[in-house]
Amino acid sequence: MKYLTEFRDPELARWLLDAIAATASRRWTLMEVCGGQTHAIIRHGLDQLLADQVEFIHGPGCPVCVTPLEMIDRALAIAARPDVIFCSFGDMLRVPGSATDLFTVKARGGDVRVVYSPLDAVHLAEAHPDRQVVFFAVGFETTAPANALAAVTARRRRLANFSMLVSHVLVPPAMSAVATAPGNRVEAFLAAGHVCTVMGTEQYEPLVAAHRLPIVVTGFEPLDLLDGVRHAIAQLEAGRAELANAYQRAVQPDGNPAARAILAEVFTVCDRAWRGIGTIPDSGWRLADAWRDLDAEIRFDVGGLTVAEPAACRSGAVLQGLLRPPDCAAFGTSCTPRRPLGATMVSAEGACAAYFQYRRLAPAGATHVPDSAGPAAAVEA
Amino acid sequence: MCLGIPGRITEIWDDRGTRMALVDFGGVTRTVCLAYLPDVTVGQYTIIHAGFALTRVDEEAARQTLAMFRDLGLLDAELGAAEVEASR
């Protein structure tokens, strides 16, 4: 597949690895922000190939993982109503709420449906005018344009039975929270390339200036990730902190202006609770006031539902890069993708799931089992 | 959910005012929404998230990036040869 296989070329990867090794005078600590990048790093064994040059701390960029427990509980409350068709991206269904999950609600007779695009939920609302159709609008800046257009389309088609439970999160405030956290060890960020396809790169200039850390916009294929590392280490070795773009085939400086215009109309910035991390100011989007007639929290009166995070799952420490998944006592024993304790084991983008899937089961200090998954297992979504 | 995949546009049509396309992901095809890429045409590559094309793949930039990686290899080979030379 064009633009996948050629960015997985083993010979070019070897040259990039050599260039990194020739530049690095010591081991640097980098954070890849996006969960998709975490999976690619673990799956292709890049952390093992770069063991002498880079320690990867896995960032909080997994939308399923950071959706707070109380938002899952609100989803469960709405999905259990007999008058509702509840639509969600598939990876939210197994995320445990306080007492149950969406799969269980479905098994008990709730009308829970997996959709690929939020527009599918709008079509369901058109086809079922006698039912309330609710879409669970989670995700980062990458899924937000799709969700915003669902709202626009529902209004254009005058659908009174469509609403959205919105729990959007934003990447730059989370990076600031990481950089300013006590005990932060991150020396440079590999920024999430696909978030930048929407939002552009200018949001990161103030972060570079405020935290004096290199930020390299980075893609998702092995060569993209190695090039991101190469840029970051070149800056660190030279004592520089700049914004760089190592994903130029996909990211323009101003992002996608058409998407940004609709996002600015439909959503407004709000404080957002992140699962396992806590509330980060101005780190989320909710529906703007002019769109609140589509807000499922108001329509079904679940906004007051709040719950505390459970203690058993240490995903908060994983999401902040304080704990490696295999070093958690529950990892691979009481917590597996089939029976997850927390969201980092559920999601296709969660760090715990990545370590489990690619059989990195050994705790720190032990010998790792090499990754055997090859490029053949390519397309993941 | 937010994994983006590159795919090639094979067909474009209008669905009640919304621009839609058929996109080929190396043999698997999907219907995607082009609302955010008003200028793309059949044959171009885009990156898709949640059923929406969010960016066009800049083929020239991709070519330049790969050429730059190959240059690193040439440099690597030259430096390697120089090291062998120096060690003699």
Side-chain angles (χ1 to χ4, degrees), chain A residues 3 15 126 145 249-250 256, chain B residues 16 36 54-55 58-59 73 76:
Chain A
Y3 301 117
W15 292 340
E126 276 184 308
R249 71 181 180 282
N256 184 322
Chain B
R16 286 182 282 172
Y36 297 123
L54 292 185
T55 189
D58 183 333
E59 304 206 25
D76 194 58

Side-chain angles (χ1 to χ4, degrees), chain A residues 1-4 6-7 12 15-16 18-19 34 36 61 63-64 89 91-92 116-119 123 126 138-146 148-150 153 156-157 194 197-198 223-224 227 230-231 247-252 256 258-259 262 348-349 379-381, chain B residues 1-8 15-18 20 23-28 30-38 44-77 79:
Chain A
M1 177 73 196
K2 200 167 164 65
Y3 301 117
L4 287 180
E6 56 206 328
F7 284 88
L12 296 185
W15 292 340
L16 280 161
D18 286 350
C34 175
V64 177
F89 294 124
D91 37 8
M92 295 304 292
Y116 169 66
S117 161
L119 286 183
H123 297 152
E126 276 184 308
V138 299
F140 282 93
E141 294 92 330
T142 45
T143 52
L149 203 81
T153 306
R156 198 189 292 150
R157 296 183 187 171
H194 288 157
T197 64
V198 176
L223 299 192
D224 293 318
D227 198 32
R230 188 177 70 92
H231 274 274
Y247 196 30
Q248 299 209 0
R249 71 181 180 282
V251 173
Q252 304 302 321
N256 184 322
I262 290 191
E349 292 146 64
V379 180
E380 287 169 339
Chain B
M1 143 206 337
C2 90
L3 295 174
I5 312 169
R8 184 173 169 276
D15 178 14
R16 286 182 282 172
T18 306
M20 304 296 290
V23 173
D24 176 14
F25 301 96
V28 180
R30 285 258 194 198
T31 299
V32 309
C33 179
L34 294 184
Y36 297 123
L37 289 181
Q44 291 185 323
Y45 283 80
T46 69
I47 294 175
I48 317 292
H49 278 266
F52 281 70
L54 292 185
T55 189
R56 188 175 66 80
V57 177
D58 183 333
E59 304 206 25
E60 178 57 20
R63 198 191 58 72
Q64 284 178 12
T65 301
L66 289 167
M68 188 264 290
F69 294 162
R70 286 188 200 101
D71 288 346
L72 280 179
L74 293 178
L75 190 67
D76 194 58
L79 289 177

Side-chain angles (χ1 to χ4, degrees), chain A residues 352-364:
Chain A
C352 296
Y355 276 75
F356 191 91
Q357 184 177 349
Y358 301 117
R359 296 184 294 287
R360 299 292 191 78
L361 308 180

Side-chain angles (χ1 to χ4, degrees), chain A residues 33-39 59-69 71-72 88-93 95-96 135-144 147 165-171 174 192 194-195 220 272-277 283 309 315 319 342-351, chain B residues 1-4 49-50:
Chain A
V33 171
C34 175
Q37 293 170 324
T38 302
H39 265 254
C62 159
V64 177
C65 306
V66 301
T67 300
L69 188 58
M71 199 57 83
I72 306 287
S88 170
F89 294 124
D91 37 8
M92 295 304 292
L93 264 64
V95 178
F135 177 68
F136 198 3
V138 299
F140 282 93
E141 294 92 330
T142 45
T143 52
N147 297 346
L165 179 63
V166 177
S167 187
H168 268 296
V169 277
L170 302 172
V171 162
H194 288 157
V195 167
F220 295 78
R272 180 69 73 201
W274 293 56
R275 191 166 198 170
I277 295 175
S283 69
E309 299 281 338
S315 62
L319 287 168
T344 46
M345 186 59 98
V346 173
S347 168
E349 292 146 64
Chain B
M1 143 206 337
C2 90
L3 295 174
H49 278 266

Side-chain angles (χ1 to χ4, degrees), chain A residues 45-59:
Chain A
L46 302 185
D47 57 327
Q48 295 170 328
L49 293 167
L50 290 167
D52 293 333
Q53 292 88 25
V54 179
E55 178 190 354
F56 286 102
I57 295 185
H58 311 309

